[in-house]
């Protein structure tokens, strides 16, 4: 029961240059006709339009007054007042929005950092030591990848509330520390990229296991670790079900939960429609910029996961 | 791969490395599953006249499961996500593969821009994507619906027949770009010699796609498909956010919504647990079933 296909192995990566700079794709086919170029570009532009349209709408909508949000053409500006909208978003209800943002950063930042470290330790041990139960542990963890997170959240809530952990920061943080996919990726990566000879040499030099891990293994595994951190960060940031189930105090909400709570009150307080829109823009833009900037890391890490996947 | 016979001082090291993850894994995966299974076979029984004599928890066997499976709304919700998966998974995978192949083709220009544009929505949380698209679906706010009406086409994107596909659109919008990135990454690992060989053999662009690129994309396509299946069964945030604007979405629209509602609105944790277990089982069976099907068919290739 594994996701591995035996056809290919992961090539050890020794700083292979990312093909990002190479904007000429290697289709390898000669004789590109102008017609096929126009066709391909047309299709790509259409797809980009589809993916960017809601973002464009969001940018336009965030500049409007509540009245214009419903009363003016959605794809063009009308009496822009972005700054005053922004001020309302961040000051409303004792600046609760900023608190939600800080909570999201805490959950996603701390959660992803701890998850990455734990996955690295576990994956490294599974790849580089032989011990009883090793394969069992790996298979159970792999099974964990296939369990829908939302099926776990309900029973976890019941357990946590009996332990007095529900409605605390820990209720969201503890589950965020666990990344079965991270362990899977680390094991594959460590097995392929950390030579046994290097570990042996370090041992002969008298280095302890923990020192070898922190100095040698973590450094070699860095590309995989960056990937896991990003995955986990975005996963926690975008998570909705777990905090919804666990948290009842709005002071502990992450931004996703906060915005939906605004949206659900908007029937009675129409100004909250505008604030949901503005708040959504403010929450989404930093992550979008991060996505675009960090793409190359994603891709280099994704290949490791998918080649074996 | 395993190092040679572990020496004494190394015996403790793997335990130290594995233990923290394993403990938390047990706490957040094994224990909740065990607890859900336990809860699902128990039930609250009321005693005395009108059930006012107090209540205690008793073993109920499979009663909660039979209750869940004889609840029409819940069974319909399962059928709904299966229908959703049957359409959305192939559409998403085909769209992702198509865009990845276009990006990888020799005719593509501005690859970096397009890749970034496709990937952008992955950074948008599902609930926020649903809020966004929700505005784009509601008549009076949506420039799409209003624009269509000006052209004489009236569409109801939130009606009983359409809202499921409006949700499918949100999910596709969110994740297609991520899948494109996985597939493009895989295509980049294809050695240039293979293309060279195909060219010398006189293969057309289409034949290269068919006989070189698609077979080598297989592992990544399998991975994306399995993750998409698992994601589909978990549908929750999208219908929940669209619920206030669409009368066609009820509190048991998806299995997850149903379990959430049983637990937090009806206080029926035992039934909710049974529904959660059924959901996890379905995800397992479908994912493994798909993997087995693929391995059987392509195992000798």
């Amino acid at each position: 029961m594994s996701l591995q296909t035996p056809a290919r192995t992961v090539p050890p990566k020794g700083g292979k240059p990312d093909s990002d700079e190479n904007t000429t794709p290697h289709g390898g086919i000669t004789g590109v006709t102008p017609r096929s170029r126009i066709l391909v570009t047309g299709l790509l532009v259409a797809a980009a339009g589809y993916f960017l349209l809601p973002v464009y709408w969001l940018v336009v909508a965030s500049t409007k007054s509540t009245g214009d949000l419903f009363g003016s053409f959605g794809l063009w500006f009308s009496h822009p007042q972005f700054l005053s909208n922004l001020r309302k978003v961040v000051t409303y209800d004792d600046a609760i929005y900023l608190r939600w943002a800080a909570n999201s950063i805490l959950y996603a930042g701390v959660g992803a950092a701890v998850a990455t470290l734990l996955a690295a330790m576990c994956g490294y041990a599974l790849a580089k030591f032989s011990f009883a139960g090793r394969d069992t542990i790996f298979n159970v963890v792999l099974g964990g990848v296939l369990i829908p997170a939302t099926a776990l959240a309900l029973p976890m809530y019941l357990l946590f509330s009996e332990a007095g952990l529900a409605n605390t920061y820990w209720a969201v943080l503890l589950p965020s520390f666990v990344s079965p996919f991270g362990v899977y990726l680390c094991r594959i990566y460590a097995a392929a990229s950390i030579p046994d000879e290097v570990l042996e040499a370090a041992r002969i030099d008298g280095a302890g296991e923990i020192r070898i891990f922190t100095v040698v293994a973590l450094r070699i595994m860095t590309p995989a670790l960056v990937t896991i951190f990003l995955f986990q960060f975005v996963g926690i940031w975008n998570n909705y079900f777990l905090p919804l189930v666990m948290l009842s105090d709005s002071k502990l909400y992450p931004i996703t939960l906060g915005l939906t709570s605004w949206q659900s009150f908007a029937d009675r307080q129409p100004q909250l429609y505008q604030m949901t829109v503005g708040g959504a823009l403010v929450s989404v833009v930093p992550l979008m910029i991060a996505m675009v900037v960090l793409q190359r890391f994603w891709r280099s890490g994704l290949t490791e996961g998918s080649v074996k996947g | 791969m395993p190092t040679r016979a572990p020496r004494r001082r190394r015996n403790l090291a793997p335990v130290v490395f594995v233990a923290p993850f394993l403990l938390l894994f047990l706490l957040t995966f094994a224990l909740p599953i065990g607890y859900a299974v336990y809860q699902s076979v128990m039930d609250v029984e009321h005693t005395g006249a009108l059930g006012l004599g107090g209540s205690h928890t008793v073993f109920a066997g499979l009663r909660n499961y039979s209750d869940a499976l004889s609840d029409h709304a819940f069974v319909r919700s399962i059928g709904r996500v299966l229908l959703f998966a049957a359409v959305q998974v192939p559409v998403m995978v085909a769209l992702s593969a198509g865009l990845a192949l276009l990006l990888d083709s020799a005719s593509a220009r501005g690859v970096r821009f397009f890749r970034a544009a496709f990937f952008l929505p992955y950074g948008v949380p599902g609930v926020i994507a649903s809020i966004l698209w929700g505005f784009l679906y509601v008549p009076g706010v949506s420039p799409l619906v209003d624009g269509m009406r000006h052209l004489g086409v009236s569409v109801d994107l939130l009606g009983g027949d359409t809202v499921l596909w409006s949700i499918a659109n949100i999910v596709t919008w969110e994740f297609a770009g991520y899948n494109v990135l996985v597939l493009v990454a895989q295509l980049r690992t294809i050695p240039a010699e293979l293309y060279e060989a195909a060219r010398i053999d006189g293969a057309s662009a289409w034949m290269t796609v068919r006989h070189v690129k698609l077979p080598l994309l297989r592992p990544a396509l399998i991975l994306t498909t399995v993750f998409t299946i698992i994601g589909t069964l978990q549908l929750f945030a999208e219908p929940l956010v669209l619920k206030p604007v669409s009368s066609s979405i009820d509190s048991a629209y998806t299995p997850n919504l149903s379990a959430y509602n049983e637990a937090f609105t009806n206080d029926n944790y035992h039934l909710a647990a049974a529904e959660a277990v059924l959901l996890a089982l379905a995800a397992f069976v479908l994912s493994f079933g798909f993997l087995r099907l693929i391995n059987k068919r392509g195992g000798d290739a």
Side-chain angles (χ1 to χ4, degrees):
Chain A
M1 54 167 270
S2 96
L3 286 169
Q4 295 188 21
T5 44
R8 304 184 61 152
T9 50
V10 181
K13 279 203 129 179
K16 193 173 101 188
D18 190 67
S19 49
D20 207 55
E21 301 314 313
N22 173 20
T23 45
T24 318
H26 63 317
I29 312 300
T30 49
V32 175
T33 62
R35 228 184 80 200
S36 77
R37 175 158 298 163
I38 291 168
L39 183 68
V40 167
T41 311
L43 289 171
L44 289 173
V45 167
Y50 168 64
F51 289 110
L52 294 179
L53 176 79
V55 181
Y56 171 72
W57 178 86
L58 181 65
V59 171
V60 171
S62 69
T63 67
K64 293 185 174 176
S65 65
T66 308
D68 282 345
L69 181 62
F70 295 97
S72 68
F73 180 57
L75 294 181
W76 197 243
F77 298 90
S78 143
H79 314 107
Q81 48 163 26
F82 179 68
L83 288 178
S84 96
N85 285 346
L86 183 66
R87 194 164 49 240
K88 277 185 218 153
V89 168
V90 295
T91 55
Y92 181 77
D93 196 9
D94 289 336
I96 187 94
Y97 183 86
L98 295 178
R99 196 179 160 115
W100 292 337
N103 287 340
S104 273
I105 291 169
L106 172 82
Y107 292 134
V110 175
V114 174
T116 307
L117 180 67
L118 296 184
M121 286 162 59
C122 187
Y124 166 73
L126 290 175
K128 289 295 166 186
F129 294 88
S130 66
F131 53 92
R134 191 178 69 147
D135 292 336
T136 313
I137 291 175
F138 186 63
N139 283 331
V140 169
V141 170
L142 255 187
V145 177
L146 295 184
I147 297 177
T150 53
L152 294 170
L154 274 178
M156 206 166 359
Y157 164 75
L158 297 177
L159 280 171
F160 278 21
S161 50
E162 277 180 34
L165 284 171
N167 199 29
T168 66
Y169 279 111
W170 292 110
V172 177
L173 275 175
L174 281 178
S176 307
F177 291 161
V178 184
S179 165
F181 183 71
V183 172
Y184 166 72
L185 203 61
C186 277
R187 184 198 150 135
I188 292 177
Y189 199 87
S193 64
I194 305 177
D196 286 339
E197 297 75 41
V198 174
L199 301 180
E200 281 306 319
R203 282 179 189 125
I204 290 165
D205 287 347
E209 291 300 333
I210 290 178
R211 202 178 140 72
I212 293 175
F213 172 72
T214 50
V215 175
V216 180
L218 278 188
R219 225 183 35 214
I220 299 178
M221 288 161 73
T222 302
L225 300 185
V226 172
T227 307
I228 295 166
F229 180 86
L230 293 174
F231 259 106
Q232 196 71 358
F233 188 94
V234 173
I236 302 168
W237 189 279
N238 292 359
N239 197 348
Y240 177 67
F241 196 73
L242 183 75
L244 175 73
V245 167
M246 290 288 182
L247 304 175
S248 49
D249 180 356
S250 68
K251 286 198 164 68
L252 301 178
Y253 282 5
I255 228 160
T256 46
L257 208 48
L259 285 176
T260 46
S261 75
W262 273 358
Q263 193 216 17
S264 66
F265 288 124
D267 279 347
R268 275 155 281 169
Q269 284 172 274
Q271 59 153 333
L272 284 175
Y273 278 120
Q274 182 52 54
M275 291 174 48
T276 308
V277 169
L281 179 74
V282 175
S283 78
V284 153
V285 164
L287 214 56
M288 283 185 164
I289 293 171
M291 290 279 132
V292 172
V293 173
L294 295 171
Q295 265 199 91
R296 58 201 316 272
F297 288 103
W298 288 79
R299 268 178 303 131
S300 57
L302 286 168
T303 341
E304 312 304 331
S306 64
V307 166
K308 274 256 178 165
Chain B
M1 292 307 102
T3 49
R4 273 162 280 146
R7 270 176 244 154
R8 208 145 186 247
R9 66 184 182 106
R10 256 188 272 156
N11 282 351
L12 211 62
V15 179
V16 172
F17 286 133
V18 173
F21 175 84
L22 210 56
L23 276 177
L24 279 168
F25 183 82
L26 291 176
L27 179 74
T28 57
F29 276 80
L31 212 58
I33 292 173
Y35 194 66
V37 172
Y38 166 77
Q39 288 275 338
S40 70
V41 295
M42 306 301 280
D43 210 347
V44 178
E45 207 142 83
H46 299 278
T47 52
L50 300 171
L52 293 173
S55 63
H56 55 279
T57 309
V58 292
F59 180 71
L62 295 177
R63 195 165 70 210
N64 288 312
Y65 288 94
S66 66
D67 282 355
L69 290 175
S70 57
D71 176 0
H72 290 303
F74 181 69
V75 173
R76 259 208 308 275
S77 76
I78 295 179
R80 194 173 287 126
V81 288
L82 289 179
L83 172 69
F84 183 95
V87 175
Q88 199 264 337
V89 173
V91 167
M92 159 104 95
V93 173
L95 176 72
S96 311
L99 289 178
L101 288 169
L102 283 177
L103 281 179
D104 195 62
S105 78
S107 313
R109 286 287 170 273
V111 171
R112 277 164 91 176
F113 165 77
F114 287 119
R115 217 170 40 204
F118 299 170
F119 187 49
L120 216 74
Y122 185 67
V124 180
V127 271
I128 295 182
S130 309
I131 293 175
L132 276 186
W133 277 102
F135 279 110
L136 291 173
Y137 290 155
V138 175
V141 189
S142 166
L144 302 182
V145 177
D146 295 351
M148 300 271 269
R149 186 172 302 148
H150 277 299
L151 297 175
V153 188
S154 76
V155 281
D156 179 7
L157 297 173
L158 297 164
D161 303 329
T162 46
V163 73
L164 190 64
W165 312 119
S166 298
I167 293 172
N169 171 57
I170 300 177
V171 175
T172 307
W173 182 79
E174 278 177 76
F175 295 106
Y178 167 78
N179 292 330
V180 169
L181 217 62
V182 175
L183 297 171
V184 167
Q186 179 85 70
L187 284 172
R188 297 268 155 163
T189 65
I190 297 175
E193 301 88 70
L194 276 180
Y195 292 125
E196 191 61 22
R199 199 179 58 82
I200 290 168
D201 289 347
S204 67
W206 170 244
M207 280 159 78
T208 314
V209 166
R210 173 89 182 69
H211 297 290
V212 180
K213 294 188 179 185
L214 279 181
L216 288 166
L217 269 182
R218 228 176 71 103
L221 285 173
I222 294 171
L223 186 85
T224 18
T225 306
V226 168
F227 282 145
T228 310
I229 292 173
I230 299 170
T232 302
L233 291 172
Q234 302 192 66
L235 264 188
F236 178 79
E238 293 82 0
L240 187 73
V241 169
L242 291 182
K243 197 164 166 270
V245 291
S246 171
S247 57
S248 312
I249 298 176
D250 56 21
S251 55
Y253 196 72
T254 70
N256 231 333
L257 214 52
S258 174
Y260 175 79
N261 199 49
E262 285 301 337
F264 290 98
T265 311
N266 301 341
D267 281 332
N268 195 341
Y269 292 119
H270 302 287
L271 186 57
E275 294 187 351
V277 171
L278 286 171
L279 181 65
L281 271 178
F284 239 86
V285 169
L286 282 185
S287 309
F288 275 114
F290 177 74
L291 287 175
R292 284 203 56 170
L293 186 81
I294 289 296
N295 285 336
K296 208 177 269 172
R297 232 195 252 158
D300 315 314

